[in-house]
Amino acid sequence: MGINALSCILLTLLIQASGSDWLNCAHITECHCKWSSGKKTASCVNAGLTQIPRLATDIQVLDLHGNILRELYEDAFVATELLNLQRLNLSATHLHFLHHNAFRELRILIELDLSSNELTQLPPDTFKGNDRLRLLVLNDNPLSQLVAEQFPALQHLKKLEVSRCRLRKVHPSAFVNLRALETIYVHQNHLSYLHPDTFNLPVLKTLTLADNPWYCDCRLRNFHEWYLNSNVGNEELVCVGPRSKSQNTWRDLDSEDMACPPTAITSPSVIRTELGADIYFGCLIRGDPMPTVSWTFHLEEITNNSNRNSEITIYKYRFRHFNEYKDDFVNKTAQWVNVTINNVTSEFAGEWKCTAKSIVGEAYAYLTIFLPKARVATARSAPDYSNILIAAGSMLAMAGTGIIGTCICWKTRRRVPSSRSFTDQEKKLIDTSLAASCERTSTDMGSFGFEMFERSVSSENCMEPVHITIEGPSGGYPRPPAEFSLPAPYGNIFISVQVKSHKDKVPDLLGGGSTLPKRSRTCLLRPTYDNMGPRVTATGSSTWSLPGANAGDLKESTLSDNFSSEFTAL
């Protein structure tokens, strides 16, 4: 008996010792473990944790509010073996990513708080496996929308909170798997419309919808009726729009007041076609109550008829296979009013008008038909270039005349005038006064067209005849002196005088002040010098033959040769 009693005491002590280990929270100083409402509770509020702590596996309540977890990956609680959790608080833990299998192994989880985080979406299978879940809190997450079958089948979920989640759209079947829901908080979101089937749940008792921007037109009419007849809420819901119903309460509005003014859109808005073609166009009409529609052309309403060789058909088409859950489920009034014209003629060209009218307003849309204008083909004649040719010829003639005149002036200036007979006065000037009694004859000078003068001596004292020839610049005998090779305004025609000596005397042919006849005026220059340049005597002296030149400036000399040459330039 003593041994058995001792064994029982030791076993009891061991159980007590092992049972009290969870209270030290695995020596995590930031956490506090205690009994709360008969459950083992670990509170790690604002502990600065970045991951799920490793605590005793039999912890039932874990509060991690205010930590910095940021992300929860697949089977996040399996690694820590915290599989006995019944209540889990992850509010304000900066979560922005949540794997859809993060809570998969928490089979006995009853309450889950994910509020005040940064979750923008929830995968539809996020809570799959949490079959005992009764409370789910998602407040203050920027979810923006809840998609179809957003939540898996949670047969025990009684309360769902999605307030202040910036919801703009909730699919009609978002809560379809939550058949046990009794309370839903959807207040303070951005909802304007809801489908009447959205909260059509069998045991729903409480629904909060306050502080949403409700737009009280035809798209909210059916849900408005459902809510007033469901008795799931006693809030005073207020309309934000349209302007005519702003600040009206839901209970002050009848179903007829929840109307949509008509809208009209033509498709296409412009048609370009050819004569004789078949065309069709339409007008998309929306509005509730259903508006009446008409097409007009040139202020005349168009009806089904045959006009001359054309036929007009108007028909209406409504969406018979409208999916109110997938498509625009809040507006099922859309219809097409189409027009077909066979064998188009020019009388149909212009602006067509589509008009939609109802008790709440009117709408208009326009369509324009363009047809090509008739064109008359005209023969093209060759362009008349006669005037152009005349003008061009005149300009060329004037230019040619100017060029010819310029050349003539230039030639006149550069060359000696054509052959002519000198007057007696001019002949007297050319005479070099060799012998006063010498007879004077003249003959033609040949190729240069100047007169050649010969002097014959009738007495003993007369010298041999003097031959005066005109030589060009590129040859002749003797060669001109160097001063005649320089560019000068008086030209390069030279007079060479050759005489034979007589009794060993060579006369200075130009020493007596003799000069050439004064050159006639050209079209451009008036000559300054009578003979247009310098002259050189046989003695090598030179002078400018100015009108007042002094003959004493010239020198006479005796040459060893039996001929004398003097030059002057024109």
Side-chain angles (χ1 to χ4, degrees), residues 50-90:
T50 58
Q51 58 184 1
I52 305 298
R54 291 181 175 272
L55 301 171
T57 58
D58 55 352
I59 292 293
Q60 297 171 299
V61 178
L62 177 60
D63 188 354
L64 295 177
H65 173 83
N67 287 281
I68 312 173
L69 301 182
R70 300 187 185 281
E71 300 173 336
L72 285 182
Y73 294 101
E74 184 176 9
D75 297 326
F77 295 90
V78 174
T80 59
E81 299 183 358
L82 295 175
L83 304 180
N84 294 316
L85 291 176
Q86 299 179 15
R87 296 176 184 172
L88 177 61
N89 184 4
L90 296 174

Side-chain angles (χ1 to χ4, degrees), residues 352-374:
W352 292 63
K353 179 180 180 182
C354 175
T355 303
K357 294 182 180 181
S358 72
I359 60 173
V360 292
E362 297 182 3
Y364 308 97
Y366 298 90
L367 176 142
T368 304
I369 298 177
F370 287 100
L371 291 174
K373 294 182 179 180

Side-chain angles (χ1 to χ4, degrees), residues 135-204:
L135 172 64
L136 178 59
V137 182
L138 297 171
N139 298 330
D140 300 296
N141 279 283
L143 295 175
S144 72
Q145 68 174 341
L146 299 178
V147 300
E149 299 188 28
Q150 178 68 72
F151 303 96
L154 300 175
Q155 300 177 2
H156 301 283
L157 187 65
K158 301 293 184 181
K159 187 176 183 179
L160 174 64
E161 299 183 13
V162 284
S163 298
R164 298 178 299 277
C165 288
R166 306 180 194 175
L167 292 176
R168 294 182 179 275
K169 184 177 181 180
V170 177
H171 196 275
S173 61
F175 309 111
V176 69
N177 295 324
L178 305 180
R179 309 303 293 176
L181 267 180
E182 297 178 356
T183 303
I184 303 178
Y185 292 164
V186 198
H187 56 273
Q188 296 181 358
N189 279 288
H190 298 163
L191 297 171
S192 296
Y193 313 105
L194 285 173
H195 192 275
D197 292 343
T198 305
F199 303 106
N200 192 12
L201 302 172
V203 293
L204 185 64

Side-chain angles (χ1 to χ4, degrees), residues 212-485:
N212 280 285
W214 301 111
Y215 202 87
C216 299
D217 63 6
C218 65
R219 291 168 287 187
L220 191 62
R221 179 194 297 144
N222 293 338
F223 183 79
H224 168 261
E225 293 179 357
W226 175 88
Y227 180 78
L228 294 181
N229 296 328
S230 64
N231 295 322
V232 295
N234 54 6
E235 298 175 298
E236 197 68 46
L237 302 181
V238 179
C239 299
V240 173
R243 183 178 300 179
S244 60
K245 300 177 180 64
S246 179
Q247 303 305 316
N248 287 351
T249 64
W250 284 24
R251 299 186 186 279
D252 294 336
L253 296 175
D254 296 330
S255 296
E256 293 76 12
D257 298 328
M258 312 282 282
C260 289
T263 61
I265 302 174
T266 56
S267 179
S269 59
V270 176
I271 295 179
R272 300 179 185 274
T273 186
E274 300 290 338
L275 293 173
D278 297 337
I279 63 173
Y280 61 91
F281 48 89
C283 186
L284 178 61
I285 303 298
R286 293 176 183 268
D288 191 353
M290 186 72 69
T292 60
V293 185
S294 63
W295 278 98
T296 57
F297 180 63
H298 291 169
L299 303 179
E300 180 181 352
E301 184 174 351
I302 303 300
T303 58
N304 292 330
N305 62 73
S306 296
N307 184 356
R308 297 181 184 177
N309 297 322
S310 301
E311 182 178 353
I312 301 177
T313 304
I314 299 177
Y315 59 94
K316 297 181 180 180
Y317 172 77
R318 296 191 63 181
F319 298 102
R320 296 182 179 180
H321 304 287
F322 191 86
N323 188 337
E324 62 180 355
Y325 291 151
K326 184 178 180 180
D327 299 324
D328 185 9
F329 60 84
V330 295
N331 189 357
K332 298 180 289 185
T333 64
Q335 63 172 330
W336 280 97
V337 180
N338 298 332
V339 178
T340 299
I341 303 177
N342 297 322
N343 191 20
V344 174
T345 62
S346 59
E347 61 182 317
F348 295 108
E351 187 177 70
W352 292 63
K353 179 180 180 182
C354 175
T355 303
K357 294 182 180 181
S358 72
I359 60 173
V360 292
E362 297 182 3
Y364 308 97
Y366 298 90
L367 176 142
T368 304
I369 298 177
F370 287 100
L371 291 174
K373 294 182 179 180
R375 297 181 180 179
V376 179
T378 57
R380 291 188 176 181
S381 60
D384 185 7
Y385 294 111
S386 60
N387 293 333
I388 298 177
L389 293 176
I390 293 173
S394 300
M395 294 179 65
L396 290 175
M398 294 174 63
T401 303
I403 294 173
I404 293 172
T406 303
C407 292
I408 292 173
C409 290
W410 182 80
K411 289 291 183 179
T412 302
R413 178 187 171 196
R414 297 287 293 177
R415 302 189 66 86
V416 176
S418 59
S419 176
R420 62 182 177 84
S421 298
F422 293 108
T423 63
D424 292 339
Q425 185 179 0
E426 290 172 335
K427 292 178 181 180
K428 190 174 182 179
L429 290 173
I430 294 177
D431 191 0
T432 56
S433 302
L434 294 176
S437 61
C438 293
E439 295 182 356
R440 185 174 299 175
T441 60
S442 63
T443 61
D444 192 9
M445 293 188 65
S447 60
F448 285 91
F450 283 88
E451 293 181 353
M452 182 180 68
F453 301 95
E454 295 182 351
R455 298 185 183 191
S456 60
V457 181
S458 60
S459 65
E460 252 181 24
N461 295 328
C462 289
M463 304 179 76
E464 292 293 331
V466 177
H467 298 278
I468 300 175
T469 60
I470 305 299
E471 295 185 353
S474 60
Y477 179 83
R479 187 176 184 84
E483 49 262 56
F484 292 99
S485 64

